[in-house]
């Protein structure tokens, strides 16, 4: 497939609603992906579209799914308590159970395999703490989608890493939060990358250990993105990079502002598409 356009969706928790708005804008522009590659919440959005198709009705369904997430409170804010419970291995009514139940309710059943997806090829990313390498789920069509999605979104303390076949797997954002390199490996010839990185952590002052950790993670993530983009440039793969700016300072576990974020993601992406018309033409 000569055009092989990949949509690459980063992780970023509740900021994933920005991607929903961006996807609406991309659809309006007539851009259709041949490949979806997602990490963490980007894997969730990608999986929904790979299952339902990239259409107006599917995007409306994704809007509704985000409304349900806000009501379910899938990532409760009491993360310190969750950390203690995880250390004590108390898992009754844990976020992981609720997250799994939500995925199943959206049609991502335990039996669903990547080869069963009829609309767009899908690959989701997790991180292997043993090898220090990202893991690409979906290269094998017999891989189960639900298992892969649960690994890609295994973000402590809400969901703990999983030991599986000599690997120690967790949220893909640790090693490839904007998975451009995996998309290139899969043969992408053109890329649209929807990045949720919160740059406010880079510019803010350190006022405690929590802000230090946020700034540390943000700096590492920023460097990862720079390297992934440089790799695409070195391979001469046209890449439309969309840093989904946001005005609301929303914690990654707070999904209640999804409507505002969807609107912001749409408006920002429309602006980028208008400004980058020549590049958009190359991506068609």
């Amino acid at each position: 497939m000569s055009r092989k356009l990949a949509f690459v969706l980063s992780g970023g928790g509740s900021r994933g609603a920005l991607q929903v708005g961006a996807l609406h804008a991309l659809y309006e522009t007539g851009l259709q992906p041949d490949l979806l590659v997602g990490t963490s919440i980007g894997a969730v959005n990608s999986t929904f579209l790979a299952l339902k198709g990239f259409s107006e009705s599917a995007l409306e369904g994704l809007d509704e799914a985000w409304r349900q997430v806000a009501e379910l409170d899938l990532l409760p804010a009491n993360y310190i308590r969750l950390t203690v419970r995880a250390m004590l291995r108390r898992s009754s009514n844990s976020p992981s159970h609720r997250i799994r139940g939500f995925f199943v309710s959206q049609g991502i059943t335990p039996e669903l395999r990547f080869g069963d997806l009829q609309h767009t090829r899908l690959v989701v990313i997790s991180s292997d703490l043993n090898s220090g390498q990202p893991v690409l789920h979906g290269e094998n069509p017999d891989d189960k989608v639900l298992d892969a999605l649960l690994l890609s979104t295994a973000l402590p303390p809400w969901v703990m890493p999983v030991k599986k076949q000599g690997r120690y797997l967790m949220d893909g954002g640790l090693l490839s939060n904007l998975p451009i390199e995996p998309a290139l490996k899969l043969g992408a010839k053109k890329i649209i990358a929807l990045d949720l990185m919160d740059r406010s952590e880079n510019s803010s002052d350190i006022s405690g250990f929590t802000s230090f950790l946020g700034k540390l993670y943000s700096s590492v993530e920023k460097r990862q993105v720079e390297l992934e983009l440089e790799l695409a440039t070195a391979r001469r793969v046209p890449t439309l990079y969309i840093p989904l700016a946001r005005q609301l300072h929303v914690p990654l576990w707070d999904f209640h502002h999804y409507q505002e974020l969807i609107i912001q993601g749409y408006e920002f992406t429309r602006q980028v598409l208008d400004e980058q018309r020549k590049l958009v033409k190359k991506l068609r």
Side-chain angles (χ1 to χ4, degrees):
M1 187 180 295
S2 59
R3 68 181 291 274
K4 202 160 188 178
L5 172 61
F7 284 7
V8 172
L9 279 66
S10 84
S14 64
R15 298 194 296 273
L18 290 162
Q19 290 177 344
V20 179
L23 289 164
H24 277 281
L26 294 173
Y27 177 76
E28 288 181 358
T29 308
L31 293 161
Q32 283 280 340
D34 305 302
L35 171 66
L36 290 161
V37 185
T39 288
S40 197
I41 196 63
V44 178
N45 287 333
S46 297
T47 300
F48 189 97
L49 295 179
L51 180 63
K52 308 290 185 180
F54 190 53
S55 64
E56 183 175 358
S57 61
L59 289 169
E60 290 174 354
L62 188 55
D63 293 345
E64 170 61 18
W66 272 82
R67 184 192 66 78
Q68 294 177 33
V69 168
E71 291 182 353
L72 291 170
D73 191 26
L74 291 180
L75 298 183
N78 57 339
Y79 55 88
I80 296 178
R81 182 182 175 188
L82 287 167
T83 301
V84 174
R85 289 177 65 87
M87 292 172 64
L88 296 175
R89 300 184 184 277
R90 295 177 181 174
S91 59
S92 60
N93 194 31
S94 68
S96 61
H97 291 149
R98 298 202 297 274
I99 291 170
R100 186 182 191 279
F102 172 74
F103 290 160
V104 172
S105 74
Q106 298 300 314
I108 308 167
T109 61
E111 301 80 17
L112 182 69
R113 300 177 186 274
F114 282 86
D116 298 327
L117 300 172
Q118 299 298 312
H119 296 284
T120 308
R121 188 182 179 192
L122 170 70
V123 170
V124 303
I125 309 300
S126 70
S127 299
D128 180 9
L129 300 184
N130 285 342
S131 69
Q133 295 294 321
V135 178
L136 281 62
H137 303 273
E139 288 188 292
N140 183 344
D142 290 329
D143 287 348
K144 292 185 176 180
V145 178
L146 180 60
D147 291 347
L149 193 55
L150 290 171
L151 292 171
S152 183
T153 56
L155 180 63
W158 294 277
V159 183
M160 301 307 292
V162 176
K163 294 180 181 179
K164 186 175 183 180
Q165 298 176 342
R167 292 171 167 171
Y168 196 39
L169 301 168
M170 66 167 288
D171 190 287
L174 178 67
L175 297 176
S176 186
N177 198 49
L178 186 66
I180 291 174
E181 181 184 16
L184 294 170
K185 180 181 178 181
L186 294 163
K189 303 300 182 185
K190 307 170 185 178
I191 293 173
I192 296 176
L194 304 180
D195 187 14
L196 301 174
M197 185 173 67
D198 182 6
R199 285 166 177 75
S200 66
E201 294 287 357
N202 290 105
S203 57
S204 61
D205 293 330
I206 296 175
S207 57
F209 187 67
T210 300
S211 64
F212 164 74
L213 288 178
K215 196 174 188 69
L216 176 64
Y217 180 79
S218 181
S219 297
V220 172
E221 185 180 349
K222 180 176 181 291
R223 183 57 177 157
Q224 282 183 353
V225 170
E226 290 172 350
L227 292 173
E228 302 245 16
L229 288 168
E230 287 176 7
L231 181 60
T233 299
R235 297 190 182 180
R236 298 182 180 178
V237 173
T239 300
L240 177 59
Y241 173 65
I242 305 180
L244 288 166
R246 63 190 182 96
Q247 297 174 354
L248 292 173
H249 182 68
V250 180
L252 65 85
W253 56 83
D254 183 359
F255 287 82
H256 296 96
H257 300 275
Y258 72 96
Q259 289 178 311
E260 297 106 305
L261 293 176
I262 289 175
I263 293 170
Q264 286 183 22
Y266 173 81
E267 292 177 347
F268 183 79
T269 302
R270 285 284 353 162
Q271 178 183 341
V272 171
L273 293 172
D274 289 341
E275 293 172 351
Q276 300 288 335
R277 291 178 184 175
K278 290 184 179 180
L279 179 54
V280 170
K281 188 175 181 180
K282 290 182 180 180
L283 299 173
R284 293 186 186 280

